[in-house]
Structure formats: structure tokens, C-alpha cells
Amino acid sequence: MPPKRVGGRSKGFISSTYESLTSPENASVVRSVALFGAAVAFLASPWGAEQLLPP
């Protein structure tokens, strides 16, 4: 049998996702994923690819 909820109403999906992304214990993971995404976007752009070519 599942435990009873004491707090009343449960949080919504967006609210719980936002709280988990902004919690201090997940800050390093969120920062790493954001930096990886920015690096991929930069290297996929024409300007980023141009930086990798030899002069």
C-alpha cells in the first residue's frame, strides 16, 4: 500500500523539475550540461568551425 500524503496536494511536473534543476546539490550537473550544450552549439556553427581550421 502506498504511503499517505501528509502535505495535501502534490507539486506539478514543471514545479518539481524547476526545483530539482535549481537545487544546490544539482548545480554542478546543470552547469556541466549547459556548458556542453554551449560548446556543441559553438562548434556546430560556421564561426566555430572556422576557428578550428589552420590559418
Side-chain angles (χ1 to χ4, degrees), residues 16-44:
S16 63
T17 302
Y18 177 77
E19 284 186 14
S20 66
L21 288 176
T22 56
S23 69
E25 59 196 23
N26 293 335
S28 62
V29 174
V30 172
R31 210 175 299 128
S32 299
V33 169
L35 186 60
F36 178 76
V40 168
F42 173 74
L43 293 175

Side-chain angles (χ1 to χ4, degrees), residues 2-16:
K4 295 180 181 179
R5 297 182 190 222
V6 178
R9 192 170 176 209
S10 66
K11 295 179 183 177
F13 174 74
I14 295 175
S15 176
S16 63

Side-chain angles (χ1 to χ4, degrees), residues 49-55:
E50 188 176 305
Q51 295 296 321
L52 292 175
L53 294 175

